Amino acid sequence: MDNVDMMAEQIADLVRRANADETAAADRVQLLATAVGLAVDPLHQLELMMLVADTAGRAAHDAAGRALRGEGRPGGKPATWSEIGAAAHLAKDTVFRQYHGGAALSWSPASRGVRQAVRRPATEGEAR
């Protein structure tokens, strides 16, 4: 068995462990991030990174819920939406809407540095 096959087995094992029901949300992120580091094929890396991004948003949602319940907080005091928003670098109304509207928290595309693509006409001989 060569190194590539061993890496593929390790990656598959990490993904399997990340998808197990008993794996905590934050642990899933760590397992998938480790798998990204082992992947050689850029397309496989991309697939794994997208899983990391989705899993991280869900883990953030889970962490916000625990903070709201006061789990692990000093004196068991529940966090406010302002505190959760500050920790997530989101406005409190944004984190409130995202928390109650879905299963994940995330930054807006603009906050992540994503800009609208501007289409330009193709020059002669350029493939689209």
Side-chain angles (χ1 to χ4, degrees), residues 1-14 35 37-40 44:
M1 181 177 287
D2 62 5
N3 285 344
V4 173
D5 291 336
M6 288 175 55
M7 293 295 228
E9 280 185 29
Q10 278 185 292
I11 291 168
D13 181 56
L14 289 165
L38 296 175
V40 176
H44 197 197

Side-chain angles (χ1 to χ4, degrees), residues 13-89:
D13 181 56
L14 289 165
V15 171
R16 221 178 355 265
R17 288 173 37 204
N19 291 330
D21 290 337
E22 65 273 1
T23 305
D27 293 337
R28 288 180 178 168
V29 175
Q30 186 173 359
L31 289 166
L32 291 170
T34 301
V36 170
L38 296 175
V40 176
D41 180 354
L43 293 178
H44 197 197
Q45 288 174 338
L46 176 61
E47 176 188 8
L48 292 168
M49 283 187 255
M50 295 304 291
L51 286 172
V52 170
D54 179 64
T55 304
R58 293 172 188 274
H61 185 276
D62 179 65
R66 287 184 285 114
L68 286 169
R69 293 186 298 274
E71 295 175 19
R73 302 252 312 139
K77 181 182 176 201
T80 66
W81 288 112
S82 293
E83 291 171 320
I84 293 169
H89 299 284

